[in-house]
Every structure is written in C-alpha cells, then in structure tokens.
Amino acid sequence: MYDVVVLVEQELTVPDAERLVELYAGTREQIRFHLIVPCDDAQAQVQASLAGTELYGITAERYSVRADEPTVTAQREAQRAADAHAAAALERSVQRLRSLGRDADGVCTHKRPVDALVDDIKRVHGQEAVVLTRPHVVAELLHVDWSAQARRHLGVPVLHVLEQDH
C-alpha cells in the first residue's frame, strides 16, 4: 500500500479528483488517499468582523476586549456551521475518490493545516504528501504557502497541485 496524504484547501472537485487519480495511475502499488480538510476558525472570523479589522489573515483577537455572551454564542454557532461545512466537504471529497476506484479516507482538523499534515504523515506512515490549493502568488513567492512549509517539516516528497478552474 502506498499512502498519500492530501491537504486540500476546500472540497475536492470532480476534475481535481480525476487529476489526483491520474497522477498515480502508473503506480504499481495500491494507492490509499488520506484527505485533510481544515475547519475554518469561526471564532477568529467573528471577532475580526466585530473588531472591524483583519491584517494578512491575523485577527485582532488578542487585542479585543472580553467577549460578551451574545458574541460567544455567535462564535459557537459559527464554529458549528464551519465544522458541519468541512465535514460535508470531506465526505463528498472522499466519495469522489472512491467513485474513481480509489481507497480514501479523511479527517477535518482545527489544527494549523501544515501541522495536521505532518501529524497525518506520521500516523499513516505516508510516503508522499500532496497540497491542493488555489493559487496564492504572494505566499508562494515568499515561500510561506502550505507546500513550502510542508517541505520544511516533512521527510517525504511534497507535490503542490493547483486547483483546476471550474
């Protein structure tokens, strides 16, 4: 079995699933895909919108005053919705790979995506990592994108695949 851990930024589309399967079509060993879908940090998003500021993805959470009960309730509800969205995206993504005849499973994570990737590579003894994202030109240029971070932390090949236009 050849285990490939795939970190996706969002739900795996049919064209992206087909492309992923194509990449490993010539492999002699049976491929097992392990998907990782990050859950949005709804708490940070709610606080950022309440504070009215967000800079480069870093919220003003640490600078805000203690949240009142309605804000805490809104954060919890938003997180439940984000978790449900991520779980549904994961299920559809896994089913797309399975419908193409591939063995697949996956997890949703609240960890930093690259940390989850590192942990999953160790957990499943993954031989390779794939990072599937939209283009992030500035992050890629500065080598702070997920694939660059993963390469610094993993001892396995890391392939960065850009999502196809739909």
Side-chain angles (χ1 to χ4, degrees):
M1 185 65 67
Y2 191 82
D3 291 286
V4 179
V5 180
V6 183
L7 173 59
V8 296
E9 188 172 13
Q10 56 192 17
E11 183 175 331
L12 194 62
T13 63
V14 172
D16 289 330
E18 290 170 345
R19 192 157 123 216
L20 194 56
V21 167
E22 275 179 30
L23 287 171
Y24 295 93
T27 307
R28 292 184 195 153
E29 295 180 71
Q30 183 179 351
I31 303 295
R32 177 181 297 139
F33 292 108
H34 305 275
L35 298 178
I36 301 172
V37 176
C39 292
D40 289 332
D41 184 353
Q43 176 181 355
Q45 291 176 9
V46 168
Q47 288 184 346
S49 67
L50 291 173
T53 180
E54 184 170 341
L55 179 63
Y56 303 112
I58 302 170
T59 64
E61 177 179 350
R62 67 182 138 208
Y63 304 111
S64 62
V65 294
R66 185 179 172 110
D68 59 7
E69 190 58 37
T71 301
V72 171
T73 300
Q75 290 170 348
R76 287 185 185 132
E77 289 172 8
Q79 190 62 58
R80 276 194 292 274
D83 291 351
H85 178 75
L90 174 64
E91 182 60 31
R92 287 188 298 270
S93 298
V94 166
Q95 288 305 320
R96 285 189 180 108
L97 288 170
R98 288 178 180 166
S99 73
L100 295 170
R102 297 299 177 177
D103 189 7
D105 59 30
V107 296
C108 294
T109 185
H110 290 97
K111 293 180 184 177
R112 286 184 55 246
V114 174
D115 291 344
L117 178 62
V118 170
D119 292 347
D120 226 35
I121 284 283
K122 291 175 184 174
R123 182 182 64 81
V124 302
H125 305 288
Q127 289 95 342
E128 193 169 334
V130 175
V131 177
L132 185 82
T133 66
R134 298 175 303 225
H136 297 284
V137 178
V138 174
E140 291 170 23
L141 179 68
L142 298 174
H143 301 286
V144 294
D145 59 304
W146 288 351
S147 58
Q149 291 177 44
R151 284 185 189 100
R152 287 192 293 272
H153 292 91
L154 291 172
V156 300
V158 176
L159 175 64
H160 186 196
V161 178
L162 297 179
E163 294 174 354
Q164 294 186 6
D165 291 331
H166 313 299

